[in-house]
């Protein structure tokens, strides 16, 4: 990403539509009885940052409180599932963008930008793809067509794309996936080139988990994006997912890790933040959770070109965590009854009165 392009991305992050203030009640987070609160999106705008949430589109359609909070509190949205390949092309050559289009339309109506998630991943692939007996050349063409068709469909309506997701193991080796086995490591560069050709104005991200701190995995991602940029591959940013668990201790050194990617001239973003715990929750665990969220946001705010901070869902009512990590949960900013938790207050406080480093340009 050139400096003018990166500066434009940072400037765009701060250009937010101003909506009415959220008020007390199940769909707001009041500072006291009858006292209006500034939504997170307005507080973040003061710091030239966009703050977002992953969206469960079924809840968006069926739950009025969920829908109201999604629109009022956040300035970006990420589809949890409806832009993944198994949804958009369930049968080869038959596309279904309807659910994703509805989310994009919702975002437009609420002055929100969209993070597209995800173009290339080893998971949630359609069965026709994973069970097909394709040659390497055929698979390469299938991937090329998928990226091109998807990005062109949303051209001009998606701000950032997670182009390649979770390509590394925790030890820094490349993940054994259908893409690596059949196409070799060059599939990563190809994916970014094809996405850029389809929409030259979208910001293109590499996205992964357990990369928030320095270590073998984040080092491998750093080496990858540094090499790709040196080769002229259009990688614009790196997404740090931010899935934390308080039972493992909270990570340190995140700001320094973000900063080294920033020095490469890359945008950065926290893309999927949640902080889970072993159940049941109690006051001490919730306080530790709040500190985890604060540390993630602090690392972003300290980083000159961190353009967005996204939570992976905002209410425990629709959390993915209990179904994936048995015995764990309570990972989000609001509880199941839409009451704001200490984690929500921690983000409010962190966004209040901060002075971010000056942007480029």
């Amino acid at each position: 990403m050139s400096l003018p392009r990166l500066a434009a991305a940072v400037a765009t992050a701060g250009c937010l539509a101003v909506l009415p203030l959220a008020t007390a009640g199940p769909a707001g987070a009041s500072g006291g009885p009858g006292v209006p609160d500034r939504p997170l999106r307005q507080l973040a705008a003061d710091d030239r940052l966009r703050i977002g949430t992953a969206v469960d589109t079924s809840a968006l359609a069926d739950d009025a409180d969920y829908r109201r909070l999604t629109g009022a509190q956040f300035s970006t949205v990420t589809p949890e599932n409806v832009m993944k390949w198994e949804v958009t092309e369930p049968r080869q050559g038959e596309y279904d963008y309807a659910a994703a289009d509805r989310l994009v339309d919702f975002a437009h109506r609420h002055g929100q930008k969209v993070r597209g998630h995800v173009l290339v991943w080893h998971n949630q692939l359609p069965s026709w793809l994973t069970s097909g007996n394709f040659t390497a050349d055929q698979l390469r063409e299938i991937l090329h067509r998928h990226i091109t068709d998807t990005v062109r469909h949303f051209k001009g309506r998606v701000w950032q794309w997670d182009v390649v997701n979770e390509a590394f193991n925790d030890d820094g080796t490349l993940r054994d996936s259908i893409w690596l086995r059949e196409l070799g490591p060059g599939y990563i560069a190809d994916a970014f080139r094809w996405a850029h050709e389809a929409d030259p104005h979208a910001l293109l991200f590499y996205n992964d988990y357990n990369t928030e701190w320095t270590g073998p995995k984040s080092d491998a991602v750093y080496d990858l994006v540094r090499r790709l940029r040196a080769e002229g591959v259009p990688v614009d940013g790196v997404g740090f997912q931010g899935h934390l668990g308080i039972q493992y201790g909270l990570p340190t050194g995140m700001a320094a890790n973000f900063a080294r990617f920033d020095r490469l001239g890359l945008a950065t973003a926290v893309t999927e933040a949640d902080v889970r715990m072993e159940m049941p929750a109690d006051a001490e665990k919730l306080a530790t959770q709040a500190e985890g969220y604060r540390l993630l946001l602090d690392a972003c705010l300290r980083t000159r070109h961190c353009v967005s901070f996204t939570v992976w869902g905002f209410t425990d009512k629709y959390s993915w965590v209990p179904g994936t990590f048995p015995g764990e949960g309570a990972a989000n900013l609001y509880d199941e009854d839409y009451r704001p938790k200490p984690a929500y207050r921690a983000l409010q406080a962190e966004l209040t009165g901060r002075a971010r480093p000056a942007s480029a340009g």
Side-chain angles (χ1 to χ4, degrees):
M1 181 188 288
S2 65
L3 278 178
R5 181 165 159 79
L6 185 54
V10 175
T12 301
C15 297
L16 307 179
V18 177
L19 297 184
L21 299 181
T23 56
S30 174
V35 179
D37 242 335
R38 293 184 68 202
L40 294 176
R41 62 184 291 167
Q42 291 186 0
L43 294 172
D46 293 346
D47 293 303
R48 302 183 306 281
L49 180 73
R50 282 190 175 266
I51 192 160
T53 183
V55 174
D56 179 325
T57 53
S58 295
L60 192 71
D62 299 336
D63 186 329
D65 285 335
Y66 183 95
R67 187 165 55 250
R68 194 176 306 116
L69 271 175
T70 300
Q73 287 288 347
F74 303 101
S75 54
T76 74
V77 293
T78 302
E80 284 192 0
N81 290 299
V82 296
M83 285 187 187
K84 291 172 180 173
W85 199 334
E86 68 176 2
V87 176
T88 60
E89 194 182 3
R91 289 165 295 279
Q92 188 171 8
E94 298 181 15
Y95 297 100
D96 184 358
Y97 298 118
D101 284 337
R102 287 193 291 272
L103 178 59
V104 172
D105 290 343
F106 176 92
H108 179 74
R109 292 195 303 272
H110 290 82
Q112 297 166 321
K113 288 190 176 292
V114 179
R115 296 197 74 258
H117 181 79
V118 53
L119 295 176
V120 186
W121 192 26
H122 65 277
N123 204 357
Q124 290 186 249
L125 298 172
S127 59
W128 65 261
L129 175 62
T130 56
S131 61
N133 187 24
F134 300 109
T135 67
D137 287 343
Q138 289 172 329
L139 194 62
R140 175 181 166 85
E141 180 53 33
I142 287 169
L143 182 61
H144 186 182
R145 190 199 68 247
H146 167 70
I147 293 172
T148 301
D149 291 350
T150 302
V151 175
R152 281 181 178 170
H153 178 83
F154 296 104
K155 184 176 181 179
R157 299 187 293 155
V158 167
W159 178 41
Q160 303 175 17
W161 276 106
D162 288 332
V163 176
V164 177
N165 193 51
E166 300 175 2
F168 287 96
N169 299 308
D170 283 341
D171 64 2
T173 60
L174 284 170
R175 182 187 295 275
D176 179 22
S177 69
I178 186 174
W179 311 118
L180 183 65
R181 288 193 305 271
E182 301 299 327
L183 305 181
Y187 82 87
I188 297 175
D190 287 338
F192 280 95
R193 292 189 180 104
W194 295 333
H196 181 70
E197 289 169 1
D199 186 352
H201 299 294
L203 297 179
L204 306 181
F205 275 69
Y206 176 82
N207 190 53
D208 218 324
Y209 64 92
N210 288 352
T211 56
E212 296 79 18
W213 52 89
T214 55
K217 191 172 190 178
S218 63
D219 289 347
V221 173
Y222 180 87
D223 290 341
L224 169 72
V225 295
R226 180 175 58 179
R227 175 177 56 79
L228 292 178
R229 286 175 61 80
E231 296 171 357
V233 178
V235 180
D236 295 319
V238 171
F240 307 97
Q241 291 185 9
H243 294 295
L244 305 182
I246 66 170
Q247 63 270 34
Y248 305 114
L250 299 179
T252 60
M254 289 191 291
N257 185 44
F258 286 24
R260 64 173 176 160
F261 288 89
D262 192 78
R263 289 192 292 270
L264 291 177
L266 288 162
T268 54
V270 176
T271 56
E272 304 184 18
D274 54 25
V275 184
R276 65 187 188 272
M277 63 189 68
E278 294 178 340
M279 299 299 285
D282 58 32
E284 182 178 359
K285 291 176 183 177
L286 291 173
T288 303
Q289 175 187 64
E291 178 63 5
Y293 273 103
R294 190 198 70 78
L295 287 170
L296 283 165
L297 180 57
D298 175 73
C300 179
L301 289 173
R302 289 178 183 272
T303 304
R304 194 180 185 196
H305 300 121
C306 187
V307 296
S308 60
F309 181 94
T310 298
V311 295
W312 199 252
F314 60 86
T315 171
D316 295 336
K317 185 174 182 179
Y318 299 107
S319 174
W320 71 292
V321 169
T324 305
F325 301 97
E328 300 180 33
N332 300 112
L333 301 178
Y334 289 79
D335 68 15
E336 294 181 353
D337 296 315
Y338 294 109
R339 291 186 294 257
K341 294 158 65 175
Y344 177 91
R345 299 302 181 196
L347 294 190
Q348 277 190 316
E350 191 69 14
L351 289 168
T352 301
R354 287 292 297 258
R356 292 195 74 189
S359 62

